[in-house]
Coordinates of all heavy atoms in Angstrom, one line a residue:
P512 N -15.5 -18.6 -8.5 CA -16.0 -18.7 -7.1 C -17.0 -17.5 -6.8 O -17.5 -17.5 -5.8 CB -14.7 -18.5 -6.3 CG -13.7 -17.8 -7.2 CD -14.0 -18.3 -8.5
V513 N -17.2 -16.6 -7.8 CA -18.0 -15.5 -7.5 C -19.1 -15.4 -8.6 O -19.4 -14.4 -9.3 CB -17.3 -14.1 -7.5 CG1 -16.5 -14.0 -6.2 CG2 -16.3 -14.0 -8.7
I515 N -22.2 -14.6 -9.1 CA -23.3 -13.9 -8.4 C -24.0 -13.1 -9.5 O -23.4 -12.4 -10.3 CB -22.7 -13.0 -7.3 CG1 -22.1 -13.9 -6.2 CG2 -23.8 -12.1 -6.7 CD1 -21.3 -13.1 -5.2
V558 N -25.5 -8.8 -2.1 CA -24.7 -8.6 -0.9 C -24.9 -9.9 0.0 O -23.9 -10.4 0.5 CB -25.2 -7.4 -0.1 CG1 -24.6 -7.4 1.3 CG2 -24.8 -6.1 -0.8
D559 N -26.1 -10.4 0.0 CA -26.3 -11.7 0.8 C -25.4 -12.8 0.2 O -24.8 -13.6 0.9 CB -27.7 -12.1 0.7 CG -28.7 -11.2 1.5 OD1 -28.1 -10.5 2.4 OD2 -29.9 -11.2 1.3
Q560 N -25.3 -12.9 -1.1 CA -24.5 -13.9 -1.8 C -23.0 -13.7 -1.5 O -22.2 -14.6 -1.3 CB -24.8 -13.9 -3.3 CG -26.1 -14.4 -3.7 CD -26.3 -14.4 -5.2 OE1 -26.5 -13.3 -5.8 NE2 -26.4 -15.6 -5.8
L561 N -22.6 -12.4 -1.5 CA -21.2 -12.1 -1.2 C -20.8 -12.5 0.3 O -19.8 -13.1 0.5 CB -20.9 -10.6 -1.4 CG -20.8 -10.1 -2.8 CD1 -20.8 -8.6 -2.8 CD2 -19.6 -10.7 -3.5
F562 N -21.7 -12.3 1.2 CA -21.4 -12.7 2.6 C -21.5 -14.2 2.7 O -20.8 -14.8 3.6 CB -22.2 -11.9 3.6 CG -21.7 -10.6 3.9 CD1 -22.1 -9.5 3.2 CD2 -20.7 -10.4 4.8 CE1 -21.5 -8.2 3.4 CE2 -20.1 -9.2 5.1 CZ -20.5 -8.1 4.4
A563 N -22.3 -14.8 1.9 CA -22.4 -16.3 1.9 C -21.0 -16.8 1.4 O -20.5 -17.9 1.8 CB -23.5 -16.8 1.1
L564 N -20.5 -16.1 0.4 CA -19.2 -16.5 -0.2 C -18.1 -16.4 0.9 O -17.2 -17.2 1.1 CB -18.8 -15.6 -1.4 CG -17.4 -15.8 -2.0 CD1 -17.3 -17.1 -2.6 CD2 -17.2 -14.7 -3.0
A565 N -18.2 -15.3 1.7 CA -17.2 -15.1 2.8 C -17.3 -16.2 3.8 O -16.3 -16.7 4.3 CB -17.5 -13.8 3.5
A566 N -18.5 -16.7 4.1 CA -18.7 -17.8 5.0 C -18.2 -19.1 4.4 O -17.5 -19.9 5.1 CB -20.2 -17.9 5.4
S567 N -18.4 -19.3 3.2 CA -17.9 -20.6 2.5 C -16.4 -20.6 2.5 O -15.8 -21.7 2.5 CB -18.5 -20.7 1.2 OG -18.0 -19.8 0.2
C568 N -15.8 -19.4 2.3 CA -14.3 -19.3 2.3 C -13.7 -19.2 3.7 O -12.5 -19.3 3.9 CB -13.9 -18.1 1.5 SG -14.2 -18.1 -0.3
N569 N -14.6 -19.1 4.7 CA -14.2 -19.0 6.1 C -13.2 -18.0 6.4 O -12.1 -18.2 6.8 CB -13.7 -20.4 6.6 CG -14.0 -20.6 8.0 OD1 -14.2 -19.7 8.8 ND2 -14.0 -21.9 8.4
F570 N -13.6 -16.7 6.1 CA -12.7 -15.6 6.3 C -12.2 -15.5 7.7 O -11.0 -15.2 7.9 CB -13.5 -14.3 6.0 CG -13.6 -13.9 4.6 CD1 -13.1 -14.7 3.5 CD2 -14.1 -12.6 4.2 CE1 -13.2 -14.3 2.2 CE2 -14.1 -12.2 2.9 CZ -13.7 -13.1 1.9
G571 N -13.0 -15.8 8.7 CA -12.5 -15.7 10.1 C -11.4 -16.7 10.3 O -10.4 -16.3 11.0
A572 N -11.5 -17.9 9.9 CA -10.5 -18.9 10.1 C -9.2 -18.5 9.3 O -8.1 -18.8 9.8 CB -11.0 -20.3 9.7
A573 N -9.4 -18.0 8.1 CA -8.2 -17.5 7.3 C -7.4 -16.5 8.1 O -6.2 -16.5 8.1 CB -8.7 -17.0 6.0
L574 N -8.1 -15.5 8.7 CA -7.4 -14.5 9.4 C -6.8 -15.0 10.7 O -5.7 -14.6 11.0 CB -8.4 -13.4 9.8 CG -9.0 -12.5 8.7 CD1 -10.2 -11.6 9.2 CD2 -7.8 -11.5 8.2
Q575 N -7.4 -16.0 11.3 CA -6.8 -16.6 12.5 C -5.5 -17.3 12.1 O -4.5 -17.3 12.8 CB -7.8 -17.7 13.1 CG -8.9 -17.1 13.9 CD -8.5 -16.8 15.3 OE1 -7.4 -17.1 15.8 NE2 -9.4 -16.1 16.0
R576 N -5.5 -18.0 10.9 CA -4.3 -18.7 10.5 C -3.2 -17.7 10.2 O -2.0 -18.0 10.6 CB -4.6 -19.5 9.2 CG -5.5 -20.8 9.4 CD -5.4 -21.7 8.2 NE -5.9 -21.0 7.0 CZ -7.1 -21.0 6.6 NH1 -8.1 -21.5 7.3 NH2 -7.5 -20.3 5.4
Q577 N -3.5 -16.7 9.5 CA -2.5 -15.7 9.1 C -1.9 -15.0 10.4 O -0.7 -15.0 10.6 CB -3.0 -14.6 8.2 CG -2.0 -13.6 7.7 CD -2.2 -12.3 8.4 OE1 -3.3 -11.7 8.4 NE2 -1.2 -11.8 9.1
M578 N -2.8 -14.5 11.3 CA -2.3 -13.8 12.4 C -1.7 -14.7 13.5 O -1.0 -14.3 14.4 CB -3.5 -13.0 13.1 CG -4.0 -11.9 12.2 SD -5.2 -10.8 13.0 CE -6.1 -10.1 11.7
G579 N -2.0 -16.0 13.4 CA -1.5 -17.0 14.3 C -0.1 -17.5 13.9 O 0.5 -18.3 14.6
E581 N 0.6 -19.4 11.0 CA 0.7 -20.6 10.2 C 1.3 -20.2 8.8 O 1.4 -19.1 8.4 CB -0.8 -21.2 10.0 CG -1.4 -21.7 11.3 CD -2.7 -22.4 11.0 OE1 -2.9 -23.0 9.9 OE2 -3.5 -22.4 12.0
V583 N 1.1 -19.4 5.5 CA 0.1 -18.9 4.5 C 0.8 -18.5 3.2 O 0.2 -18.0 2.3 CB -0.7 -17.7 5.1 CG1 -1.6 -18.2 6.2 CG2 0.2 -16.6 5.6
V601 N -3.7 -12.6 17.9 CA -3.8 -14.0 18.1 C -2.7 -14.5 18.9 O -1.5 -14.3 18.6 CB -3.9 -14.8 16.8 CG1 -4.0 -16.3 17.0 CG2 -5.2 -14.4 16.0
D781 N -6.6 -4.6 13.0 CA -6.4 -6.1 13.1 C -7.5 -6.7 14.0 O -8.1 -7.7 13.7 CB -5.0 -6.4 13.7 CG -3.9 -5.9 12.8 OD1 -4.1 -5.7 11.6 OD2 -2.7 -5.8 13.4
K782 N -7.7 -6.0 15.1 CA -8.7 -6.5 16.1 C -10.1 -6.5 15.5 O -10.9 -7.4 15.6 CB -8.6 -5.7 17.4 CG -9.6 -6.1 18.5 CD -9.4 -5.2 19.7 CE -10.5 -5.4 20.7 NZ -10.4 -6.8 21.3
H783 N -10.4 -5.4 14.8 CA -11.7 -5.2 14.1 C -11.9 -6.3 13.1 O -12.9 -6.9 13.0 CB -11.7 -3.8 13.4 CG -12.9 -3.6 12.6 ND1 -14.1 -3.2 13.1 CD2 -13.1 -3.8 11.2 CE1 -15.0 -3.1 12.1 NE2 -14.4 -3.4 10.9
A784 N -10.8 -6.6 12.2 CA -11.0 -7.6 11.2 C -11.2 -9.0 11.8 O -12.0 -9.7 11.3 CB -9.7 -7.6 10.4
L785 N -10.6 -9.2 12.9 CA -10.6 -10.6 13.5 C -11.9 -10.8 14.3 O -12.5 -11.9 14.3 CB -9.4 -10.8 14.4 CG -9.1 -12.2 14.9 CD1 -8.8 -13.1 13.7 CD2 -7.9 -12.1 15.8
E786 N -12.4 -9.7 15.0 CA -13.5 -9.9 16.0 C -14.8 -9.4 15.6 O -15.8 -9.8 16.2 CB -13.0 -9.3 17.3 CG -11.7 -9.9 17.9 CD -11.3 -9.2 19.2 OE1 -12.1 -8.3 19.7 OE2 -10.3 -9.6 19.7
S787 N -14.9 -8.5 14.6 CA -16.2 -7.9 14.3 C -17.1 -8.9 13.5 O -16.6 -9.8 12.8 CB -16.0 -6.7 13.4 OG -15.4 -5.7 14.1
E788 N -18.4 -8.8 13.7 CA -19.3 -9.7 13.0 C -19.2 -9.3 11.5 O -18.9 -8.2 11.1 CB -20.7 -9.4 13.4 CG -21.0 -9.9 14.9 CD -20.9 -11.4 14.9 OE1 -21.4 -12.1 14.0 OE2 -20.4 -11.9 16.0
P789 N -19.4 -10.3 10.6 CA -19.2 -10.1 9.2 C -19.9 -8.9 8.6 O -19.3 -8.1 7.9 CB -19.7 -11.4 8.6 CG -19.4 -12.5 9.6 CD -19.7 -11.8 10.9
R790 N -21.2 -8.7 9.0 CA -21.9 -7.6 8.4 C -21.5 -6.2 8.9 O -21.8 -5.2 8.4 CB -23.4 -7.8 8.6 CG -24.0 -9.0 7.8 CD -24.1 -8.7 6.3 NE -24.7 -9.9 5.7 CZ -25.7 -9.7 4.7 NH1 -26.1 -8.6 4.3 NH2 -26.2 -10.8 4.1
S791 N -20.7 -6.2 10.0 CA -20.2 -5.0 10.6 C -18.7 -4.9 10.4 O -18.1 -4.0 10.9 CB -20.5 -4.9 12.1 OG -21.9 -5.0 12.3
N792 N -18.1 -5.7 9.6 CA -16.7 -5.8 9.4 C -16.3 -5.0 8.2 O -16.5 -5.5 7.0 CB -16.3 -7.3 9.3 CG -14.8 -7.5 9.5 OD1 -14.0 -6.8 9.0 ND2 -14.4 -8.5 10.4
L793 N -15.6 -4.0 8.4 CA -15.2 -3.1 7.3 C -14.2 -3.8 6.3 O -14.3 -3.6 5.1 CB -14.5 -1.9 7.9 CG -14.1 -0.7 6.9 CD1 -15.3 -0.2 6.1 CD2 -13.5 0.4 7.7
T794 N -13.3 -4.7 6.8 CA -12.4 -5.4 6.0 C -13.2 -6.4 5.1 O -12.8 -6.6 3.9 CB -11.3 -6.1 6.8 OG1 -11.9 -7.2 7.5 CG2 -10.6 -5.1 7.7
Y795 N -14.2 -7.0 5.6 CA -15.0 -7.9 4.8 C -15.7 -7.2 3.7 O -15.7 -7.6 2.5 CB -16.1 -8.6 5.7 CG -15.6 -9.8 6.5 CD1 -14.4 -9.8 7.1 CD2 -16.5 -10.8 6.8 CE1 -13.9 -10.8 8.0 CE2 -16.1 -11.9 7.6 CZ -14.8 -11.9 8.2 OH -14.4 -12.9 9.0
W796 N -16.3 -6.1 4.0 CA -17.1 -5.3 3.0 C -16.1 -4.8 1.9 O -16.5 -4.9 0.7 CB -17.7 -4.1 3.7 CG -19.1 -4.3 4.2 CD1 -19.4 -4.8 5.5 CD2 -20.4 -4.2 3.6 NE1 -20.7 -4.9 5.7 CE2 -21.4 -4.5 4.5 CE3 -20.7 -3.8 2.3 CZ2 -22.7 -4.5 4.2 CZ3 -22.1 -3.7 2.0 CH2 -23.1 -4.1 3.0
H797 N -15.0 -4.3 2.3 CA -14.0 -3.8 1.3 C -13.5 -4.9 0.4 O -13.5 -4.8 -0.9 CB -12.9 -3.1 2.0 CG -12.1 -2.3 1.1 ND1 -11.0 -2.8 0.3 CD2 -12.1 -0.9 0.8 CE1 -10.5 -1.8 -0.5 NE2 -11.2 -0.6 -0.2
A798 N -13.2 -6.1 1.0 CA -12.7 -7.2 0.2 C -13.8 -7.8 -0.8 O -13.5 -8.0 -2.0 CB -12.2 -8.3 1.1
L799 N -15.0 -8.0 -0.2 CA -16.1 -8.5 -1.0 C -16.5 -7.6 -2.2 O -16.8 -8.0 -3.3 CB -17.3 -8.9 -0.2 CG -17.0 -10.0 0.8 CD1 -18.2 -10.1 1.8 CD2 -16.8 -11.3 0.1
T800 N -16.4 -6.3 -1.9 CA -16.7 -5.3 -3.0 C -15.7 -5.4 -4.1 O -16.0 -5.4 -5.3 CB -16.8 -3.9 -2.4 OG1 -17.8 -3.8 -1.4 CG2 -17.1 -2.9 -3.4
A801 N -14.4 -5.5 -3.7 CA -13.4 -5.7 -4.7 C -13.6 -6.9 -5.5 O -13.4 -7.0 -6.8 CB -12.0 -5.6 -4.1
V802 N -13.9 -8.0 -4.9 CA -14.2 -9.3 -5.5 C -15.3 -9.2 -6.5 O -15.3 -9.7 -7.6 CB -14.4 -10.4 -4.5 CG1 -15.0 -11.6 -5.2 CG2 -13.1 -10.8 -3.8
Y803 N -16.4 -8.5 -6.1 CA -17.6 -8.3 -6.9 C -17.3 -7.5 -8.1 O -17.6 -7.8 -9.3 CB -18.7 -7.6 -6.1 CG -20.0 -7.4 -6.8 CD1 -20.9 -8.4 -6.9 CD2 -20.3 -6.2 -7.4 CE1 -22.1 -8.2 -7.5 CE2 -21.5 -6.0 -8.1 CZ -22.4 -7.0 -8.1 OH -23.6 -6.8 -8.8
L837 N -1.9 -9.7 -5.5 CA -3.0 -10.4 -6.2 C -2.7 -10.6 -7.7 O -3.5 -11.2 -8.3 CB -4.3 -9.6 -6.0 CG -4.8 -9.4 -4.6 CD1 -6.1 -8.6 -4.6 CD2 -5.0 -10.7 -3.9
L949 N -6.5 -1.6 6.8 CA -7.7 -2.0 6.1 C -7.4 -2.6 4.8 O -8.0 -3.7 4.4 CB -8.6 -0.8 6.0 CG -9.8 -0.9 5.0 CD1 -10.8 -1.9 5.4 CD2 -10.5 0.5 4.8
E951 N -4.6 -3.9 3.7 CA -3.8 -5.1 3.9 C -4.8 -6.3 4.1 O -4.6 -7.3 3.5 CB -2.9 -5.0 5.1 CG -1.7 -4.2 4.9 CD -0.8 -4.1 6.1 OE1 -1.2 -4.6 7.2 OE2 0.4 -3.7 6.0
H952 N -5.7 -6.1 5.0 CA -6.7 -7.2 5.3 C -7.6 -7.5 4.1 O -7.9 -8.6 3.8 CB -7.5 -6.9 6.5 CG -6.7 -7.0 7.8 ND1 -5.9 -8.1 8.2 CD2 -6.5 -6.0 8.8 CE1 -5.3 -7.8 9.3 NE2 -5.6 -6.6 9.7
S953 N -8.0 -6.4 3.4 CA -8.8 -6.6 2.2 C -8.1 -7.4 1.2 O -8.7 -8.3 0.6 CB -9.2 -5.2 1.6 OG -9.9 -5.4 0.4
V954 N -6.8 -7.1 0.9 CA -6.0 -7.9 0.0 C -6.0 -9.4 0.4 O -6.2 -10.3 -0.5 CB -4.6 -7.3 -0.2 CG1 -3.7 -8.2 -0.9 CG2 -4.7 -6.0 -0.9
Y955 N -5.7 -9.6 1.6 CA -5.6 -11.0 2.0 C -6.9 -11.8 1.9 O -6.9 -12.9 1.4 CB -5.1 -11.1 3.5 CG -5.0 -12.5 4.0 CD1 -4.3 -13.5 3.4 CD2 -5.8 -12.9 5.1 CE1 -4.2 -14.8 3.9 CE2 -5.7 -14.2 5.6 CZ -5.0 -15.1 5.0 OH -4.9 -16.4 5.5
L956 N -8.0 -11.2 2.2 CA -9.3 -11.8 2.1 C -9.7 -12.0 0.6 O -10.3 -13.1 0.3 CB -10.4 -11.0 2.8 CG -10.2 -11.0 4.4 CD1 -11.3 -10.0 5.0 CD2 -10.3 -12.3 5.0
Q957 N -9.3 -11.1 -0.2 CA -9.5 -11.3 -1.6 C -8.7 -12.5 -2.1 O -9.2 -13.4 -2.9 CB -9.1 -10.1 -2.4 CG -10.0 -8.9 -2.3 CD -9.4 -7.7 -3.0 OE1 -9.2 -7.6 -4.2 NE2 -9.1 -6.6 -2.2
S958 N -7.5 -12.7 -1.6 CA -6.7 -13.8 -2.0 C -7.3 -15.1 -1.6 O -7.1 -16.2 -2.3 CB -5.2 -13.7 -1.5 OG -5.2 -14.1 -0.1
V959 N -8.0 -15.1 -0.5 CA -8.7 -16.3 0.0 C -9.8 -16.7 -1.0 O -9.9 -17.9 -1.3 CB -9.2 -16.1 1.4 CG1 -10.1 -17.3 1.9 CG2 -8.1 -15.9 2.4
V960 N -10.5 -15.8 -1.5 CA -11.5 -16.1 -2.5 C -10.9 -16.6 -3.7 O -11.4 -17.6 -4.3 CB -12.4 -14.8 -2.8 CG1 -13.3 -15.1 -3.9 CG2 -13.1 -14.3 -1.6
W961 N -9.9 -16.0 -4.2 CA -9.2 -16.5 -5.5 C -8.4 -17.7 -5.3 O -7.9 -18.3 -6.3 CB -8.4 -15.3 -6.1 CG -9.2 -14.0 -6.3 CD1 -8.8 -12.8 -5.9 CD2 -10.4 -13.9 -7.1 NE1 -9.7 -11.9 -6.3 CE2 -10.7 -12.5 -7.0 CE3 -11.2 -14.7 -7.8 CZ2 -11.8 -12.0 -7.6 CZ3 -12.3 -14.2 -8.4 CH2 -12.6 -12.8 -8.3
N962 N -8.1 -18.1 -4.0 CA -7.3 -19.3 -3.7 C -5.9 -19.1 -4.3 O -5.3 -20.0 -4.9 CB -7.9 -20.5 -4.3 CG -7.3 -21.8 -3.7 OD1 -6.9 -21.8 -2.6 ND2 -7.1 -22.8 -4.5
I963 N -5.3 -17.9 -4.0 CA -3.9 -17.6 -4.5 C -3.1 -17.2 -3.3 O -3.6 -16.9 -2.2 CB -3.9 -16.5 -5.6 CG1 -4.5 -15.2 -5.0 CG2 -4.6 -17.0 -6.8 CD1 -4.5 -14.0 -6.0

Side-chain angles (χ1 to χ4, degrees):
V513 286
I515 294 170
V558 169
D559 288 343
Q560 290 179 290
L561 286 170
F562 278 93
L564 174 65
S567 68
C568 293
N569 210 337
F570 276 8
L574 289 167
Q575 285 277 352
R576 289 195 302 273
Q577 181 256 304
M578 296 188 202
E581 294 187 29
V583 292
V601 174
D781 298 340
K782 180 179 174 65
H783 172 84
L785 194 63
E786 299 180 3
S787 296
E788 291 296 320
R790 294 287 183 137
S791 302
N792 195 312
L793 187 53
T794 68
Y795 282 35
W796 274 89
H797 195 276
L799 293 170
T800 299
V802 165
Y803 182 84
L837 300 180
L949 164 64
E951 287 182 347
H952 291 304
S953 176
V954 165
Y955 177 57
L956 294 175
Q957 290 172 63
S958 79
V959 173
V960 174
W961 303 125
N962 194 36
I963 59 177

